Amino acid sequence: MGDYEQFVGSIKRKTGIDLGLYKEAQMKRRLTSLYEKKGYPSFSSFFDALNSNQTMMNEFLDRMTINVSEFYRNGKRWEVLEKKILPRLLKENKRLKVWSAACSTGEEPYTLSMILSAYMPLASVSVQATDLDVDVIQKAKLGLYPERSLAELPEPMKRKYFQQEGAFYKISDDIKRTVTFKKQNLLSDRFESSFDLIVCRNVMIYFTEEAKDELYRKFNAALRPGGVLFVGSTEQIFNPERYGFQVEDTFFYKKV
Ligand SMILES: C[S@@+](CC[C@H](N)C(=O)[O-])C[C@H]1O[C@@H](n2cnc3c(N)ncnc32)[C@H](O)[C@@H]1O
């Protein structure tokens, strides 16, 4: 077994995270540059160091997960959600069960809440949000963002839901209250069911074809019939019918 394969096995035993389900070339490149920067000669010596140093282990987990996010990322897609998908979902169900899967630092689930608030009082809005990385969940709960995270957000939303604090923008407590954060690994944990909408964007690009295949099936099972999976703008599903979906709009898949 090669150095990298052994490392993957050790990390899985230690953390439960299976790096073998992430695209190998990309992951290997990212982690090689990390251990070289730290001055280790190989994956095995790097694992020994991680095994005995929790701070380094956390840094490693941060590096492998890539947490970049933004409010209203790829705005045109959020407009489709607001103007086309949500009206249809709301016709079928007054209260929507909504999940932001791989939510990173909270920009995505908070964007969802802001958009939903156009259709109902905030007190009725509820969004579940999950991520593998507990550090990003902590940041999400804090709700403090640099200006660049808000660059794509329409000005009225920015004015309504944020307060400037020095170089940062703080999200309003009303929006914060609508989102429940939880740690979850999409590749190994169980999902809830009967969702009207699942938003999972900019994480599946890192997964192998086999991992994606399994995940599409799990998402399909987690949706109610007519429910929608909203994916990232480089994450089109080829053959959605195979997984029980039909295309409702670009990057929106409806459970048949
Ligand atoms: C690039 S961010 C995407 C954030 C947001 N969805 C967006 O599109 O702006 C990817 C997120 O996926 C999370 N992630 C990576 N692997 C995961 C897994 N197996 N289960 C759950 N979350 C995962 C990372 O921790 C990171 O926060």
Side-chain angles (χ1 to χ4, degrees):
M1 207 191 292
D3 194 31
Y4 180 69
E5 285 73 26
Q6 260 180 18
F7 180 78
V8 170
S10 308
I11 290 293
K12 188 170 176 192
R13 279 188 296 279
K14 172 92 181 164
T15 68
I17 295 168
D18 188 355
L19 296 177
L21 297 173
Y22 292 74
K23 284 182 189 152
E24 181 173 329
Q26 217 177 20
M27 183 60 76
K28 215 167 167 176
R29 198 176 334 113
R30 208 141 13 101
L31 297 181
T32 304
S33 88
L34 180 64
Y35 80 60
E36 283 176 356
K37 209 171 79 192
K38 300 262 167 215
Y40 294 95
S42 63
F43 274 111
S44 66
S45 57
F46 185 45
F47 179 76
D48 292 341
L50 294 176
N51 203 16
S52 57
N53 182 335
Q54 192 57 42
T55 312
M56 232 168 101
M57 179 61 98
N58 291 345
E59 194 187 332
F60 153 75
L61 291 174
D62 268 0
R63 176 61 74 95
M64 61 142 283
T65 53
I66 303 194
N67 299 314
V68 187
S69 192
E70 269 171 56
F71 287 92
Y72 219 73
R73 188 174 192 178
N74 313 114
K76 286 270 170 282
R77 298 292 98 208
W78 289 102
E79 280 172 25
V80 172
L81 178 73
E82 180 173 356
K83 303 280 189 284
K84 176 173 174 183
I85 310 290
L86 283 179
R88 201 251 313 147
L89 290 174
L90 283 162
K91 232 185 262 166
E92 296 167 11
N93 238 347
K94 282 274 156 297
R95 266 194 110 101
L96 300 183
K97 186 170 174 182
V98 177
W99 173 24
S100 162
C103 64
S104 190
T105 34
E107 292 87 335
E108 183 178 279
Y110 290 141
T111 299
L112 266 169
S113 288
M114 290 183 232
I115 288 175
L116 284 165
S117 77
Y119 290 99
M120 58 188 86
L122 264 182
S124 310
V125 174
S126 165
V127 175
Q128 301 186 27
T130 61
D131 200 282
L132 175 70
D133 181 346
V134 284
D135 286 348
V136 291
I137 292 180
Q138 274 315 106
K139 285 190 191 147
K141 286 181 177 169
L142 197 65
L144 212 53
Y145 297 94
E147 186 157 21
R148 65 168 185 281
S149 308
L150 283 72
E152 284 211 56
L153 191 68
E155 204 44 49
M157 287 193 193
K158 189 167 158 183
R159 272 200 303 273
K160 191 164 176 193
Y161 295 118
F162 288 87
Q163 206 177 356
Q164 193 168 0
E165 289 190 359
F168 290 87
Y169 285 78
K170 192 171 175 42
I171 194 137
S172 80
D173 286 338
D174 289 351
I175 290 288
K176 238 196 222 179
R177 268 192 288 273
T178 63
V179 181
T180 312
F181 292 96
K182 198 174 82 182
K183 180 184 175 203
Q184 186 203 45
N185 185 343
L186 289 173
L187 299 175
S188 57
D189 291 334
R190 290 171 62 89
F191 295 176
E192 283 185 28
S193 58
S194 311
F195 285 102
D196 296 277
L197 174 65
I198 299 173
V199 180
C200 184
R201 307 180 75 215
N202 306 304
V203 64
M204 289 189 281
I205 30 164
Y206 303 116
F207 298 158
T208 62
E209 289 309 311
E210 298 71 47
K212 278 193 279 195
D213 204 72
E214 172 72 17
L215 193 52
Y216 297 150
R217 287 177 211 287
K218 280 173 76 180
F219 280 144
N220 190 271
L223 287 164
R224 65 152 174 96
V228 168
L229 172 65
F230 175 20
V231 303
S233 295
T234 54
E235 296 175 317
Q236 222 144 345
I237 304 179
F238 299 102
N239 298 320
E241 313 75 34
R242 248 185 90 192
Y243 307 100
F245 287 112
Q246 75 187 42
V247 179
E248 184 160 11
D249 205 302
T250 322
F251 308 115
F252 292 92
Y253 300 92
K254 175 173 157 184
K255 176 169 174 168
V256 188

